[in-house]
Amino acid sequence: MANSFATRTFTTLSGLQPNMANLKVIGIVIGKTDVKGFPDRKNIGSERYTFSFTIRDSPAHFVNAASWGNEDYIKSLSDSFRVGDCVIIENPLIQRKEIEREEKFCPATPSSCKLLLSENHSTVKVCSSYEVDTKLLSLIHLPVKESHDYYSLGDIVANGHSLNGRIINVLAAVKSVGETKYFTTSDRRKGQRCEVRLYDETESSFAMTCWDNESILLAQSWMPRETVIFASDIRISFDKFRNCMTATVISKTIITTNPDTPEANILLNFIRENKETNVMDDEIDSYFKESINLNTIVDVYTVEQLKGKALKNEGKADPSYGILYAYISTLNIDDETTKVVRNRCSSCGYIVNEASNMCATCNKNSLDFKSVFLSFDMLIDLTDHTGTLHSCSLTGSVAEETLGCTFVLSHRARSGLKISVLSCKLADPAEASRNLSGQKHV
Ligand SMILES: *[C@@H]1O[C@H](CO)[C@@H](O)[C@H](O)[C@H]1NC(C)=O
Ligand SMILES: *[C@@H]1O[C@H](CO)[C@@H](O)[C@H](O)[C@H]1NC(C)=O
Ligand SMILES: CC(=O)N[C@H]1CO[C@H](CO)[C@@H](O)[C@@H]1O
């Protein structure tokens, strides 16, 4: 079957002209959007559906294709293939593309045309990879931008605010792929979110957020500490909440998994050589920070309410999150009996026993300097007008941030209540009083 699709039976994407008829094109799908519904203006009360994708048939040529139609047709067409599949499209409508309008939301392509597919006129056939020329399949590993045209994560962090809102290319390794969170917006639309952590030689952890099912599906195929990605046209923003730069996958973005480029191979060698050493910081960050989206935390509590909550929740392991307006009433960093800084195991993140220098969790000997790292580990008291929470733990990066030298706050009280500080900032007194005055006392 190999090579049975002689290339001459297909029109090449580089040869497309507006209004050509009876066309047949073949290409590998390198990008794809989620299905979206819009109110149909011609048919009040009903919706029209659409999705788009990008196909490539040579290193230099790729085009965008879009399909509009009823819900059943669009959903089943969209479900029939994924990024990385090869498709044959017959009878698409070829349109000249209005570059500015088109490239606002779709990937930039070298083609002056785009394809439109309709239920009545066009067909899309998904080919099995056995039927397809390996030259075509290998295009999936070729970035759509020049292989050296990217920012390192360190460059992004160094440029900081000046890159806020910019759309750029990034080459990085995958450190972790978070769990997909599903939510419903206030106007009842369903949404989802998945956070991927990236790293490279210059930065040990950098967040990239995926908001659509297609990019989440792609991300779920990545192997932490093995996969390298080239993300073209990704949006960079400054996350005020976390006080750091982050990346977001948008509808213009095309992500090439395991790019076959010299630059990607250098990065791949780096991640292979550093597999051991780096395991630690991602575990730590994922343990303390990554899985919690601070933006979703809105409930305001008083100390009294938290204590009441702890009593009601006794025995239940589920954590709950909230905001507390309080002051730090004890911050003991001078007491000889309490340590402020401890060694944590770089494999699992747990505190290493000082006498034995062993990690009780994974039994690694910390004498190997690579296997431990220093971390803030302190207990603080938090007080408001209703009472005091004793021994809240403030550790790691939250502690560091709070102290102006980066750290994480977690609380471990004798009641079985464990409170972790996820973020600790100066409160605006007016905001605090407004929020607290809205509170009913328990
Ligand atoms: C597609 O064909 C069907 C049946 O022939 C027709 O009812 C429908 O209006 C056509 N749709 C479009 C968008 O032309
Ligand atoms: C995304 O996936 C979720 C879960 O499978 C589904 O409920 C939702 O409708 C999907 N959204 C889109 C736009 O496809
Ligand atoms: C949870 C809550 O009520 N938050 C409010 C606290 O006060 C600020 C500033 O007035 C509001 O923006 C928040 O919505």
Side-chain angles (χ1 to χ4, degrees):
M1 279 301 276
N3 297 326
S4 67
F5 300 116
T7 23
R8 65 193 147 79
T9 66
F10 297 102
T11 303
T12 60
L13 299 179
S14 60
L16 294 178
Q17 296 290 333
N19 303 317
M20 281 170 116
N22 297 318
L23 276 191
K24 199 168 169 186
V25 297
I26 187 168
I28 190 154
V29 178
I30 58 170
K32 185 164 175 261
T33 70
D34 279 359
V35 169
K36 287 189 193 69
F38 294 95
D40 186 350
R41 265 175 291 166
K42 288 187 212 141
N43 206 342
I44 308 294
S46 67
E47 286 201 310
R48 292 186 77 208
Y49 284 78
T50 185
F51 81 107
S52 52
F53 58 100
T54 306
I55 59 168
R56 185 178 208 179
D57 72 348
S58 71
H61 288 282
F62 47 98
V63 297
N64 294 329
S67 188
W68 285 83
N70 64 49
E71 181 170 6
D72 291 345
Y73 167 66
I74 294 296
K75 285 195 168 160
S76 75
L77 181 59
S78 167
D79 281 345
S80 68
F81 61 87
R82 299 257 94 91
V83 168
D85 285 342
C86 209
V87 294
I88 293 173
I89 303 173
E90 284 188 63
N91 282 324
L93 179 66
I94 317 291
Q95 282 192 329
R96 187 168 295 287
K97 121 183 148 180
E98 289 170 58
I99 293 183
E100 226 167 273
R101 222 178 92 190
E102 175 83 6
E103 294 192 348
K104 199 161 175 198
F105 300 110
C106 295
T109 67
S111 180
S112 58
C113 299
K114 61 176 178 180
L115 310 179
L116 271 183
L117 316 185
S118 72
E119 180 169 15
N120 287 2
H121 301 106
S122 326
T123 59
V124 177
K125 176 178 174 281
V126 183
C127 325
S128 114
S129 57
Y130 302 110
E131 302 171 304
V132 179
D133 195 323
T134 51
K135 265 197 213 142
L136 194 56
L137 293 177
S138 66
L139 295 173
I140 195 73
H141 296 299
L142 204 60
V144 294
K145 300 288 171 76
E146 293 288 340
S147 69
H148 56 80
D149 177 12
Y150 65 87
Y151 279 72
S152 71
L153 301 175
D155 289 342
I156 299 173
V157 171
N159 277 285
H161 293 254
S162 69
L163 283 179
N164 186 27
R166 289 270 305 279
I167 292 175
I168 64 171
N169 311 323
V170 170
L171 175 73
V174 174
K175 188 169 188 181
S176 63
V177 178
E179 230 177 273
T180 307
K181 304 275 162 59
Y182 295 94
F183 58 86
T184 305
T185 60
S186 52
D187 55 346
R188 298 229 180 82
R189 279 177 300 128
K190 281 196 282 183
Q192 56 286 315
R193 178 183 189 279
C194 172
E195 186 169 296
V196 176
R197 286 264 154 189
L198 302 176
Y199 72 112
D200 66 7
E201 296 99 324
T202 61
E203 205 47 49
S204 69
S205 185
F206 189 94
M208 176 178 86
T209 310
C210 302
W211 292 98
D212 60 292
N213 285 337
E214 288 295 335
S215 62
I216 291 173
L217 259 175
L218 188 63
Q220 282 166 347
S221 71
W222 299 336
M223 301 292 294
R225 302 195 170 277
E226 283 180 24
T227 301
V228 168
I229 61 168
F230 186 103
S232 82
D233 288 338
I234 198 161
R235 186 174 22 215
I236 299 299
S237 25
F238 176 71
D239 183 330
K240 275 188 243 156
F241 216 88
R242 292 192 284 190
N243 194 31
C244 62
M245 302 304 291
T246 63
T248 306
V249 175
I250 56 175
S251 55
K252 283 178 67 60
T253 308
I254 288 187
I255 300 184
T256 305
T257 303
N258 292 328
D260 186 8
T261 67
E263 294 83 356
N265 286 330
I266 292 172
L267 181 55
L268 196 60
N269 282 335
F270 168 79
I271 66 179
R272 289 190 177 145
E273 281 163 17
N274 291 278
K275 244 183 164 149
E276 261 305 286
T277 16
N278 286 327
V279 169
M280 115 225 172
D281 42 53
D282 45 294
E283 305 254 337
I284 294 312
D285 295 341
S286 67
Y287 187 69
F288 290 111
K289 230 179 167 179
E290 212 163 297
S291 52
I292 303 154
N293 177 3
L294 294 178
N295 292 306
T296 61
I297 302 174
V298 293
D299 296 329
V300 175
Y301 294 102
T302 61
V303 166
E304 188 179 29
Q305 286 171 329
L306 280 179
K307 287 180 172 168
K309 211 171 155 61
L311 285 178
K312 272 185 252 158
N313 283 355
E314 217 165 3
K316 290 192 202 128
D318 275 359
S320 49
Y321 302 102
I323 297 165
L324 177 69
Y325 289 93
Y327 62 91
I328 298 176
S329 45
T330 305
L331 173 67
N332 193 349
I333 54 174
D334 300 323
D335 187 343
E336 305 239 324
T337 61
T338 49
K339 288 212 76 171
V340 172
V341 171
R342 287 179 191 269
N343 280 329
R344 282 180 181 266
C345 171
S346 44
S347 299
C348 63
Y350 283 91
I351 290 173
V352 168
N353 179 307
E354 247 140 69
S356 66
N357 249 335
M358 293 284 287
C359 171
T361 315
C362 54
N363 281 322
K364 274 201 187 153
N365 194 318
S366 71
L367 289 173
D368 171 5
F369 75 97
K370 277 180 178 170
S371 69
V372 297
F373 64 100
L374 275 181
S375 165
F376 276 116
D377 192 61
M378 51 182 94
L379 298 175
I380 62 173
D381 291 352
L382 297 173
T383 301
D384 72 0
H385 58 294
T386 64
T388 296
L389 290 167
H390 295 283
S391 304
C392 302
S393 84
L394 182 66
T395 67
S397 65
V398 175
E400 290 166 45
E401 274 156 30
T402 306
L403 298 177
C405 44
T406 317
F407 73 154
V408 179
L409 181 58
S410 150
H411 221 20
R412 200 174 294 118
R414 240 165 282 140
S415 60
L417 172 66
K418 177 183 160 160
I419 297 180
S420 291
V421 179
L422 300 174
S423 169
C424 182
K425 305 240 165 77
L426 277 185
D428 168 8
E431 176 191 317
S433 87
R434 264 197 307 277
N435 278 289
L436 290 171
S437 65
Q439 285 246 336
K440 285 174 216 83
H441 273 275
V442 242

